[in-house]
């Protein structure tokens, strides 16, 4: 073999190895389990207001397993994918409930470059991302007042924390500013399920961060029920946080407005959340958050205005970079006729892999 052929073979091998090194694939996820004595607000004697002691999943974070990969295509262009399935580790089931789709957290592909990122498929809702990003409990459906009062079991959002059939464009970080636009196609020949739109902006400078987001929901996919023709909902949210070192403070205000609904669903909702994350040691924090939603009739005199207050206090201790234990107390009070307050205590462990 001539020296030139050897050189070409070495160059080809180096190119192949370089291409392999520029691709990566990962298996990852989180498992969250707790021993909980749960009692939420509800009518006296109702299942919601009856105390239940149980091994419970997903109070601090919704457990999931995921697969992701990225490939460097050269010239600053990358392609990637994410497949993520929610889990109920207390019973060994998939999904957040039996109504959930299997890849309910994510099932998408994307292209990214210095010009931004374009994602297609099931992915995170832009407004939910800011609900979770600006409260001390993050996306905790079990313990976060902000999440419970918007996307959780007692919230009035008609969409979901994830959106299917979606296209999202996110700008690169421009001196602390980022912006995203999202479109969820209704894919319904009758047009009862119409196109949903969302947008979000955020700015971060040192310890300060702020965000604003808005969505107009006109279609829904499993596990949420489909909207009827003429129904829609607008949800706007503004949020801010500031890290003083001795404590990180959070604040949020949002409005949900229903259109085309009747009866008890013919409502507008205001939501507020105030919270703090206070370091105790280098490995532990006290988390505290108060949230309130206020429902009012969108038109007419019914339904009556209803306030819902949730307060959560927790201590979170990290045993390693991937494992933490936590203890939490939650007070839940919906100020409706005949309703009683609920008090819950939770002790849990969370492990990321």
């Amino acid at each position: 073999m001539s020296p030139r052929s050897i050189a070409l073979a070495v160059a080809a091998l180096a190119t192949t190895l370089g291409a392999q090194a520029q691709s990566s694939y990962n298996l990852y996820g989180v498992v969250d389990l707790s021993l909980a004595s749960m009692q939420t607000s509800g009518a006296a004697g109702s299942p919601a207001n009856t105390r239940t002691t149980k091994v419970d999943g997903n109070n601090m974070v919704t457990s999931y397993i995921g697969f992701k990969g990225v490939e460097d295509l050269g010239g600053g262009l990358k392609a990637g994918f994410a497949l993520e399935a929610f889990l109920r580790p207390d019973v060994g089931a998939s999904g957040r409930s039996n109504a959930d789709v299997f890849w309910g957290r994510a099932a998408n592909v994307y292209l990214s470059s210095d010009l931004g990122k374009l994602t297609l498929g099931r992915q995170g809702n832009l407004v939910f991302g800011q609900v979770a990003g600006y409260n001390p409990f993050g996306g905790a459906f079990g313990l976060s007042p902000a999440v419970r009062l918007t996307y959780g079991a007692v919230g009035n959002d008609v969409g979901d924390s994830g959106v299917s059939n979606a296209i999202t464009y996110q700008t690169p970080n421009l001196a602390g500013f980022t912006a995203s636009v999202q479109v969820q196609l209704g894919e319904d020949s009758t047009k009862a399920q119409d196109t949903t739109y969302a947008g979000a902006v955020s700015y971060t400078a040192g310890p300060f961060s702020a965000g604003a987001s808005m969505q107009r929901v006109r279609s829904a996919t499993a596990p949420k029920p489909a909207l009827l023709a003429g129904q829609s909902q607008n949800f706007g949210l503004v949020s801010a946080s500031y890290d003083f070192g001795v404590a990180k403070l959070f604040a949020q205000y949002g409005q949900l407005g229903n259109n085309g609904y009747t009866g008890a669903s013919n409502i507008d909702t205001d939501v507020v959340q105030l919270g703090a994350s206070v370091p105790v040691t280098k490995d532990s924090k006290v988390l505290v958050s108060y949230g309130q939603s206020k429902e009012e009739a969108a038109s007419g005199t019914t339904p009556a205005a209803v306030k819902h207050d949730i307060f959560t206090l927790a201590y979170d201790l990290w045993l390693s970079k991937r494992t933490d234990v936590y203890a939490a107390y939650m007070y839940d009070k919906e100020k409706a006729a005949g309703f009683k307050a609920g008090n819950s205590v939770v002790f849990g462990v969370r492990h990321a892999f």
Side-chain angles (χ1 to χ4, degrees):
M1 182 179 289
S2 67
R4 181 174 182 276
S5 298
I6 294 173
L8 290 173
V10 171
L13 178 60
T15 300
T16 301
L17 293 175
Q20 290 175 345
Q22 293 169 355
S23 298
S24 64
Y25 303 93
N26 299 98
L27 166 68
Y28 58 98
V30 179
V31 179
D32 177 25
L33 280 163
S34 55
L35 176 62
S37 177
M38 302 295 293
Q39 181 194 33
T40 56
S41 183
S46 68
N49 195 237
T50 300
R51 180 168 300 280
T52 304
T53 300
K54 56 184 176 178
V55 173
D56 205 9
N58 306 336
N59 277 310
M60 186 64 86
V61 66
T62 305
S63 302
Y64 70 95
I65 186 170
F67 306 86
K68 67 180 178 181
V70 61
E71 180 183 14
D72 192 333
L73 302 175
L77 181 64
K78 296 180 180 180
F81 75 92
L83 296 170
E84 299 174 349
F86 288 115
L87 303 172
R88 285 171 282 166
D90 54 325
V91 295
S94 63
R96 296 161 292 182
S97 70
N98 290 334
D100 215 346
V101 294
F102 185 78
W103 298 112
R105 196 173 194 269
N108 59 68
V109 295
Y110 66 85
L111 293 172
S112 66
S113 71
D114 292 340
L115 299 178
K117 181 179 181 181
L118 181 68
T119 306
L120 285 80
R122 184 165 177 88
Q123 54 198 282
N125 178 303
L126 294 181
V127 182
F128 176 77
Q130 292 200 347
V131 170
Y134 288 89
N135 84 86
F137 289 92
F141 274 77
L143 294 172
S144 168
V147 174
R148 290 181 66 86
L149 294 171
T150 53
Y151 290 86
V154 298
N156 290 327
D157 175 78
V158 299
D160 190 14
S161 59
V163 287
S164 296
N165 307 318
I167 306 168
T168 303
Y169 168 72
Q170 180 181 355
T171 69
N173 189 312
L174 303 172
F177 284 96
T178 59
S180 301
V181 291
Q182 188 171 76
V183 177
Q184 178 186 16
L185 302 179
E187 300 188 6
D188 184 354
S189 61
T190 70
K191 300 301 181 182
Q193 300 295 295
D194 212 336
T195 304
T196 288
Y197 301 96
V201 295
S202 64
Y203 173 71
T204 300
F208 173 75
S209 182
S213 52
M214 178 73 184
Q215 68 180 23
R216 180 173 175 82
V217 177
R218 297 194 296 177
S219 65
T221 52
K224 289 297 185 79
L227 276 65
L228 301 179
Q231 292 182 339
S232 65
Q233 183 187 71
N234 297 328
F235 184 5
L237 179 75
V238 291
S239 308
S241 67
Y242 195 95
D243 192 344
F244 290 93
V246 295
K248 185 174 183 179
L249 304 183
F250 302 86
Q252 296 176 303
Y253 174 73
Q255 289 186 334
L256 297 95
N258 288 358
N259 305 293
Y261 288 81
T262 59
S265 298
N266 185 35
I267 54 174
D268 293 335
T269 309
D270 289 357
V271 180
V272 63
Q273 185 270 146
L274 299 173
S277 173
V278 183
V280 178
T281 70
K282 66 181 182 67
D283 297 317
S284 66
K285 295 179 179 181
V286 169
L287 309 175
V288 59
S289 179
Y290 165 76
Q292 182 186 85
S293 67
K294 183 179 180 181
E295 300 174 357
E296 294 183 326
S299 61
T301 58
T302 58
V306 175
K307 289 184 179 180
H308 197 149
D309 297 299
I310 300 177
F311 171 81
T312 305
L313 175 67
Y315 179 71
D316 190 14
L317 172 63
W318 286 88
L319 305 177
S320 71
K321 291 183 178 181
R322 296 190 297 152
T323 303
D324 66 313
V325 293
Y326 58 89
Y329 165 77
M330 183 174 68
Y331 174 81
D332 182 14
K333 174 61 176 177
E334 185 170 359
K335 300 175 183 177
F339 273 44
K340 295 180 62 178
N343 297 272
S344 299
V345 179
V346 179
F347 300 94
V349 58
R350 172 174 50 174
H351 178 75
F353 57 91

